[in-house]
Amino acid sequence: GGGGGGSSYASSSTTPGAGGGAGGLIFLQNQTIPAGEYTVTIGDGGDGDIYTDSSYQRGKNGENSSFSYLQTEAIGGGGGGSRVGTNPGNAGGSGGGSVINTPPNNEQDEIPGGSGYVSDIVKTDGTIIVENYRQGYDGGYAIYADPYASGGGGAGEKGKNVTDTYDKYDGDGGDGISGVDTIDFKSFFGITDTNIGFHHTDGKVYFAGGGAVGYRSNSGNHSTGGLGGGADSFDGNGLDGKTNTGGGGSGSRNASINPRTNGGNGGSGVVIIRWK
């Protein structure tokens, strides 16, 4: 599915926007598909939040991708959370990251990220192919510590915050995946076009990485998007997830630096079919 958009900062806060979650990823093999006409729909990425003086909102969810052989769709990624009234990220294929308010007396608190999507995979005739299939993971939870926000979830792991790596300012997006069990996507689908998938590295190609937290306050706190097209932080508007990956957009830079900035858009999804 399409990746979720990143959120913008809140008011004059130094808290950056949270990362968008990756679009849901479904991989099936050895399916016998009757001859006929089928509809393939590619989900677009969700819009990053656009800053206004009166509104600070979550990033928008990505759109679903589908292949009409199935009832089940690859669910668009969840938008990143906002600090004003909508702290948790949206649920989606993978969940958006969350943002935390200042707790009473500065006590430690946490806000969970949006939930990743789990469901049965069902054919159009109602036959269940796989039960309880996980399309992606939760967005990271935010805590009262730099960067006060978290990365979006990916197809391979949840979004991150500072406690996951014990690296100050960390808010990386969760990694996507490059294969399932013994199947390697790059070789199995014969992917040579570097515009399909992202992070073509070590002989592999990744899909569905979560977007990173936005730039916080100095050059030492950039966060990294998840493998599979998740967008990195940037000292400005959040960056967009990569097209044809379902990667999440990154959050906006914090509000203490002018000009004010917006969250990044999610990357579009992709449907790949291999036949004998």
Side-chain angles (χ1 to χ4, degrees):
S7 69
S8 65
Y9 53 82
S11 187
S12 60
S13 170
T14 57
T15 300
L25 188 150
I26 298 173
F27 173 71
L28 301 173
Q29 59 179 317
N30 299 325
Q31 299 298 307
T32 301
I33 301 174
E37 293 187 358
Y38 295 89
T39 300
V40 174
T41 301
I42 307 299
D44 199 3
D47 292 339
D49 181 45
I50 298 174
Y51 165 79
T52 68
D53 289 326
S54 60
S55 178
Y56 318 100
Q57 304 293 328
R58 292 180 174 106
K60 306 304 185 294
N61 280 26
E63 296 178 355
N64 296 356
S65 291
S66 62
F67 171 41
S68 61
Y69 166 69
L70 300 174
Q71 288 184 22
T72 308
E73 298 184 345
I75 305 300
S82 168
R83 195 175 177 185
V84 180
T86 54
N87 302 58
N90 286 344
S94 290
S98 58
V99 179
I100 197 165
N101 289 322
T102 304
N105 302 318
N106 289 346
E107 294 174 356
Q108 189 75 6
D109 197 1
E110 64 181 50
I111 300 292
S115 299
Y117 193 76
V118 178
S119 74
D120 296 340
I121 305 296
V122 184
K123 294 197 298 186
T124 51
D125 65 6
T127 303
I128 296 176
I129 301 174
V130 183
E131 294 182 339
N132 297 319
Y133 186 95
R134 176 173 290 280
Q135 295 190 20
Y137 285 82
D138 299 349
Y141 62 89
I143 63 171
Y144 189 64
D146 274 334
Y148 306 105
S150 60
E157 62 178 1
K158 69 180 182 66
K160 299 175 183 177
N161 67 15
V162 67
T163 63
D164 293 310
T165 60
Y166 301 97
D167 179 16
K168 189 176 183 183
Y169 306 123
D170 179 62
D172 295 345
D175 284 342
I177 59 175
S178 62
V180 175
D181 297 327
T182 61
I183 299 296
D184 176 83
F185 292 157
K186 186 176 179 70
S187 59
F188 185 73
F189 290 109
I191 299 172
T192 58
D193 185 347
T194 56
N195 293 312
I196 299 174
F198 196 64
H199 293 101
H200 288 249
T201 182
D202 297 327
K204 298 184 181 298
V205 58
Y206 289 82
F207 294 88
V213 166
Y215 181 91
R216 167 109 165 92
S217 59
N218 63 58
S219 60
N221 66 249
H222 281 299
S223 294
T224 303
L227 293 174
D232 297 339
S233 66
F234 182 68
D235 188 9
N237 290 321
L239 300 181
D240 297 343
K242 301 298 182 183
T243 58
N244 304 133
T245 68
S250 61
S252 71
R253 179 180 63 190
N254 82 84
S256 65
I257 311 170
N258 283 314
R260 305 297 171 84
T261 55
N262 306 317
N265 300 328
S268 61
V270 63
V271 174
I272 305 174
I273 301 171
R274 177 184 187 267
W275 65 91
K276 289 187 178 180

